[in-house]
Amino acid sequence: MASVYGLCKRVYTVLYPPAPTDPSSTPLKFGILGAAAIAPIAIVRPVKNHPDAVLYGVAARDETRAAAFAKKWGVVKTYGSYQELLDDPEIDVVYNPLPNGLHYEWTMKALAAGKHVLLEKPSADTAEETRKMFAFAEKKGLVLLEAFHYRFHPATQRVKEIVDSGELGQIKSIESSLTIPSGLLKDDDIRLSYNLGGGAMMDMGCYTLSMTRYLAGADPVKILSASADTSSKFPRIDIGTSAKLAFSSQTPDDDSQITATIHANFRLPARGPFGLIPAMPKMNVRAVGTEGEVKTYGKEGNSKGKTRTEKRYGEKGNGSWTTYRYQLEAFIDKVRGRTPQHWFDAADSIANIEWIGRIYEETGLGIRPASEAEVPSA
Ligand SMILES: NC(=O)C1=CN([C@@H]2O[C@H](COP(=O)(O)OP(=O)(O)OC[C@H]3O[C@@H](n4cnc5c(N)ncnc54)[C@H](OP(=O)(O)O)[C@@H]3O)[C@@H](O)[C@H]2O)C=CC1
Ligand SMILES: O=C1OC[C@@H](O)[C@H](O)[C@H]1O
């Protein structure tokens, strides 16, 4: 009963985050590019709870969309084009939740305008674009972060701690999957557009790969296999991708490899007789060592031997801080010149998109198209 109450309380606090009690008189002003579906959870609510941030602007291709968004979420100013927002000297930080294929163009333009950028995942369509964005940010002395929010949460960090502690023995395999049920995406969803950088490996596989690389503490050494499911309607889009990767063992004196499987799918079929049991979105990570295993997100299985369940909601906000709120805290610390509790750098983002590209090549679908937009040069 107590935990049901706790859950309801956490959900309520996530949806209605309390205003900070000690707001800054000179907060960072955030601008959002596009009235994106993800913006309320990923940036609007976290900003409302941060003492050093305000939601200043939102731009949309059609200003009425920006106006509707601003009214609903309490944003101060609206713009009828992304460039107008970037040209506003009041804006300090840009949140870029545009379709993947537009990440590079608008991040380069935002950096050129002198804004720090919190950039949605995956960083861009190609590794070359990601390299250029980070090089430009560094040259300009601006903060650029790919929004892998999960990394900032204490639960993720605890899993990493368990893996690194050695209590599981030598890690032999890592499995990571992120899947959503069939029927969730409409045909015009950005995730189903090749030109906008869509595909399951881009959209969800980027997390599974990132998490696997994080737990392995290294990049893969080889792709052992990779395959993609497609559909006749979207022949260049992977509805699902599965890949098997080899990592070098991180344990000294162990020359065996870690085998990792990653799995991303947009169309998990319903189950049971006549498909009557609807599938649920699933996020699962499991690292198996010679002495034990750790699972995240999934339910306890019928494991033999000793098992324990650890919960890590984090201490902040009485356990109500989301991954996005933790991410925002770190991002603002970085912008303000403080040391964030966790960070990951350009090399990490570059390696992730490089391996996404390699996996796409291996499936035969090829990497997503590079941007043809004219952008400011680094
Ligand atoms: N961190 C996370 O948990 C999540 C991250 N994401 C990432 O965020 C990004 C956006 O995802 P999501 O919010 O679901 O996307 P939406 O479908 O809501 O699209 C985002 C915005 O893209 C703009 N846009 C610009 N050009 C186009 C175009 N040609 N076609 C369609 N839209 C266009 C639209 O802005 P306008 O208002 O100007 O029309 C729209 O609001 C993606 O990179 C995705 O990977 C998505 C979900 C979860
Ligand atoms: O967190 C997520 O889960 C569902 C995906 O479609 C989305 O883009 C991703 O970021």
Side-chain angles (χ1 to χ4, degrees):
M1 199 62 192
S3 67
V4 172
Y5 172 74
L7 177 67
C8 294
K9 203 169 152 202
R10 268 197 303 282
V11 170
Y12 182 85
T13 317
V14 168
L15 293 177
Y16 304 100
T21 47
D22 53 347
S24 158
S25 54
T26 52
L28 292 168
K29 292 180 177 156
F30 276 67
I32 306 175
L33 297 179
I38 187 59
I41 184 92
I43 199 74
V44 170
R45 291 184 171 105
V47 162
K48 281 180 184 291
N49 179 246
H50 197 293
D52 196 17
V54 286
L55 276 177
Y56 187 79
V58 59
R61 293 169 297 173
D62 168 355
E63 197 165 355
T64 55
R65 269 175 63 75
F69 185 99
K71 189 171 171 206
K72 181 163 183 189
W73 298 108
V75 184
V76 179
K77 201 165 165 184
T78 61
Y79 312 80
S81 77
Y82 305 146
Q83 190 60 51
E84 272 176 65
L85 182 149
L86 299 185
D87 290 340
D88 187 339
E90 288 291 324
I91 303 268
D92 303 300
V93 176
V94 164
Y95 171 61
N96 181 352
L98 294 173
N100 305 335
L102 299 176
H103 284 183
Y104 172 66
E105 173 184 356
W106 289 101
T107 296
M108 291 299 274
K109 288 178 175 170
L111 293 168
K115 319 294 186 193
H116 302 283
V117 181
L118 178 58
L119 168 64
E120 266 309 337
K121 42 52 63 177
S123 52
D125 277 9
T126 71
E128 190 51 24
E129 291 177 344
T130 302
R131 239 176 246 118
K132 285 184 181 163
M133 290 187 295
F134 279 100
F136 197 24
E138 183 162 9
K139 187 172 165 192
K140 302 272 292 178
L142 295 164
V143 177
L144 170 61
L145 176 68
E146 182 180 12
F148 274 128
H149 52 106
Y150 80 92
R151 284 261 186 112
F152 296 88
H153 197 276
T156 306
Q157 292 163 11
R158 176 66 188 135
V159 174
K160 172 74 171 154
E161 201 176 84
I162 291 170
V163 166
D164 288 352
S165 72
E167 75 163 286
L168 305 179
Q170 288 167 359
I171 300 299
K172 292 292 179 192
S173 67
I174 301 173
E175 295 158 21
S176 175
S177 77
L178 181 50
T179 51
I180 57 173
S182 188
L184 280 193
L185 303 185
K186 293 198 194 125
D187 281 2
D188 62 355
D189 195 285
I190 58 170
R191 291 158 185 77
L192 299 175
S193 162
Y194 173 74
N195 289 331
L196 293 176
M201 186 61 217
M202 286 290 276
D203 185 55
M204 299 192 297
C206 66
Y207 285 112
T208 61
L209 180 61
S210 167
M211 180 69 165
T212 302
R213 291 176 44 256
Y214 179 52
L215 293 187
D219 289 331
V221 287
K222 197 174 173 194
I223 298 174
L224 301 171
S225 64
S227 61
D229 296 334
T230 52
S231 69
S232 52
K233 218 174 198 175
F234 306 103
R236 304 183 84 176
I237 289 293
D238 50 318
I239 297 303
T241 285
S242 298
K244 199 176 228 189
L245 310 166
F247 288 76
S248 295
S249 168
Q250 293 305 296
T251 315
D253 307 326
D254 175 21
D255 56 6
S256 65
Q257 291 187 327
I258 300 172
T259 306
T261 51
I262 62 173
H263 184 58
N265 200 297
F266 287 148
R267 289 197 184 150
L268 212 56
R271 294 169 297 123
F274 308 107
L276 285 175
I277 308 171
M280 298 300 282
K282 272 194 208 142
M283 295 184 284
N284 287 306
V285 179
R286 178 170 174 241
V288 181
T290 49
E291 309 294 325
E293 64 181 65
V294 59
K295 294 185 217 173
T296 66
Y297 308 118
K299 293 221 164 68
E300 282 296 310
N302 298 318
S303 330
K304 291 201 174 107
K306 285 186 186 165
T307 65
R308 69 171 192 268
T309 302
E310 288 190 27
K311 292 182 183 174
R312 279 288 190 285
Y313 294 113
E315 318 241 301
K316 304 286 190 170
N318 291 323
S320 73
W321 275 24
T322 58
T323 51
Y324 305 106
R325 180 63 182 83
Y326 276 102
Q327 170 180 261
L328 182 70
E329 187 75 5
F331 182 84
I332 289 181
D333 280 346
K334 194 81 173 169
V335 169
R336 291 302 198 193
R338 296 184 290 264
T339 305
Q341 61 95 354
H342 179 79
W343 196 251
F344 62 96
D345 58 12
D348 198 328
S349 290
I350 294 165
N352 214 57
I353 192 67
E354 247 164 18
W355 282 95
I356 289 173
R358 287 184 188 134
I359 290 168
Y360 268 114
E361 297 289 12
E362 189 72 23
T363 64
L365 285 178
I367 60 169
R368 311 295 86 181
S371 170
E372 290 179 0
E374 272 197 30
V375 296
S377 57

